[in-house]
Every structure is written in structure tokens, then in C-alpha cells.
Amino acid sequence: MNNSKSKKKLLQKLLKGIETGDPEAATVVNEQKYIQHNPQTHEGSEGLGALFSRLSKTSPKVRFVRVFEDGNFAFAHNEYDFNNLKAAFEIFRFEDGQAVEHWDNIQPKFGPNQSGRDMLDGPTEITDLDRTEDNRERVRCYVNEVLIKRSFSQICDFVEENFHQHNPDLADGTVPLLSQLKATTDGKPDLQYETLHHLLAEGNFVLSLSEGRRNDIPTSFCDLYRLKDGKIVEHWDTIETIAPRTEWKNANGKF
């Protein structure tokens, strides 16, 4: 088994523990090194074991839609059923075959949107492995220039005009996206990206994890892009409010 398959399989074994409640799944985690960035989860495998046990009592289902690997990282695009459907991105960093750090971004699954797309459907095949770094850099520039610096005139340099959109509130294409990005209330953007924290890629897919504000509330944005010939042709996301520090169960922060 090569390292790529190993990391993907370890990620799947770990997250399947949510469904099965099997505490063995938590052994994927190196408890001595593990850094948990989900503010609602305690540190270490003991915290994960308790979480899995609690969640399994609700008969949850875990469906892996897309699973990727990038160096020491594995990341996944999932559907969870905890009595209601949720769309999720999960990111793990590995050392010596064990998970040592974790980030996620989860929201209720809505849709389909005006273009008939839901939050998880669409292509899953990983291609263009030789363009991984080029695609990563294209998304880095797009997030920094268009989303953070709000240089909206550059959007067509990075995004196909009629790209496929899976955000439940938007239809396909750059016009609805620009309308959302330009919207303001009392002079403040309704949606503001501020900091790009993580950028992971495999072939034609690139995942960004960013911090910002939605309706002036601290927010985490996780965006998955599919690229073709250097342009974004498809987009999926989850948007999650960042819990106040007084509610955190660990001190590591969301990012």
C-alpha cells in the first residue's frame, strides 16, 4: 500500500467511527501529538472516542463523496446524517501513519440550488496530477486577489463564466457569484474573506480554508474548486459560524 492510499484509508477508518461507534477508530490518532481544531471537540483520542460513542447512538451515516491526499495531508468531502443531513470537509495531517492534527467545516445540507445542483453531487474523478501545483497557485491567486482584496474585475481571469455552482444559495455562473460578493449592508460587505489559512490540492481539485465574516459574524469558509486548463469550472463549499471562545472545548482555534 502506498502512502497516498494509506492516508486516505486511515482518514476513512477514523471517520467511519462516527457511524460505528468503534473506539478502535480513534487509534488512528496519535494522542500525544494530536491538535484538534474543531472547537466543539475535546483534545486527543479520548475526546474522539467519547464523541464517536455519543454520535453512534443516533444511528448516523457517513458517506465519503471525494477523498484526496496532498503530502502529509488527507482531506475529504463528506455527507453526514445525524438525523439531518450535513455537508462537510475534513482535513487531517499525518505523521508516521497517525493523525496529528485536524480541521473541519460542516454545515446543514441545503439545496438543490437554482441550477439543480446539490452541495455534494458532480464529478469525483481526480485527473491532471501533473498540474497539481499550477492549480494550487491559480486558486491561491483567486482567493487572495478576488475574494480577499475584492478585485472583482479579475474574476474572469480565474473562473469560467458559466462555471458549475454547488452553493445552495447561488445559481451557475459568475454573475450570481459577483452579486453575492458585492452585496453590502450599512457599507460593510455581507461576505468578507480576510485570511487564507490552508490550501490543499490533488490534480484538478483544490481546497481552500479561509477565515472572514458573514453578516459581520466571524465565519469559516471551506471551498473546493475543480479546475480545467487553468480555470475554475466547478465549486463546492461549506460556510460555518465560528463559535465564541467561551464555548470552545480546546484552545487551538478553528485554524
Side-chain angles (χ1 to χ4, degrees):
M1 182 185 300
N2 64 36
N3 288 337
S4 173
K5 289 184 179 179
S6 175
K7 293 185 185 95
K8 292 179 182 181
K9 287 184 178 293
L10 286 169
L11 177 151
Q12 290 172 302
K13 176 182 177 180
L14 175 56
L15 293 178
K16 266 294 180 181
I18 296 171
E19 184 175 300
T20 65
D22 182 2
E24 176 69 17
T27 63
V28 172
V29 170
N30 183 330
E31 186 176 358
Q32 302 305 312
K33 292 186 175 182
Y34 195 62
I35 303 170
Q36 173 63 262
H37 292 279
N38 182 322
Q40 305 302 315
T41 303
H42 289 289
E43 200 88 77
S45 60
E46 181 178 353
L48 284 173
L51 174 65
F52 292 170
S53 178
R54 175 172 59 81
L55 290 175
S56 68
K57 294 174 183 177
T58 67
S59 300
K61 298 297 180 185
V62 179
R63 181 168 70 95
F64 297 97
V65 181
R66 299 171 182 86
V67 183
F68 306 97
E69 184 266 340
D70 180 8
N72 294 326
F73 293 84
F75 54 106
H77 193 195
N78 293 349
E79 178 185 79
Y80 294 136
D81 186 350
F82 304 139
N83 295 321
N84 52 65
L85 295 179
K86 295 182 182 295
F89 290 101
E90 302 277 0
I91 303 170
F92 291 90
R93 182 172 65 85
F94 289 86
E95 288 182 2
D96 301 321
Q98 285 189 295
V100 295
E101 197 160 9
H102 169 247
W103 302 259
D104 62 9
N105 218 56
I106 303 172
Q107 77 165 73
K109 185 183 176 188
F110 300 118
N113 64 18
Q114 296 174 54
S115 296
R117 307 184 197 284
D118 76 20
M119 294 183 69
L120 291 136
D121 66 357
T124 60
E125 183 183 4
I126 299 169
T127 63
D128 301 334
L129 291 175
D130 59 325
R131 300 193 66 162
T132 295
E133 294 310 318
D134 289 341
N135 288 336
R136 190 198 312 270
E137 188 58 30
R138 291 296 290 167
V139 171
R140 186 191 310 278
C141 290
Y142 169 69
V143 174
N144 284 323
E145 296 301 320
V146 177
L147 300 183
I148 294 176
K149 296 180 182 177
R150 302 175 65 79
S151 181
F152 300 136
S153 63
Q154 295 189 52
I155 193 167
C156 289
D157 294 338
F158 300 100
V159 184
E160 284 288 349
E161 183 178 359
N162 295 310
F163 79 104
H164 290 179
Q165 174 67 264
H166 294 268
N167 181 297
D169 297 323
L170 297 175
D172 288 353
T174 56
V175 172
L177 175 60
L178 281 170
S179 179
Q180 182 193 62
L181 292 173
K182 291 178 179 179
T184 60
T185 301
D186 297 329
K188 292 183 178 180
D190 292 349
L191 198 69
Q192 176 64 66
Y193 283 66
E194 295 173 347
T195 305
L196 172 60
H197 286 281
H198 300 282
L199 198 62
L200 300 170
E202 185 177 15
N204 55 328
F205 288 92
V206 181
L207 181 72
S208 67
L209 180 59
S210 305
E211 180 177 5
R213 304 183 77 83
R214 182 173 63 163
N215 300 324
D216 211 28
I217 297 171
T219 299
S220 176
F221 302 100
C222 208
D223 297 278
L224 180 66
Y225 301 97
R226 183 172 67 87
L227 290 89
K228 184 177 180 180
D229 298 328
K231 279 201 169 184
I232 293 166
V233 295
E234 198 150 4
H235 169 252
W236 301 259
D237 65 351
T238 60
I239 300 174
E240 185 177 7
T241 297
I242 301 173
R245 182 176 288 271
T246 54
E247 298 178 12
W248 292 4
K249 295 179 180 177
N250 63 68
N252 300 317
K254 181 71 173 173
F255 305 99

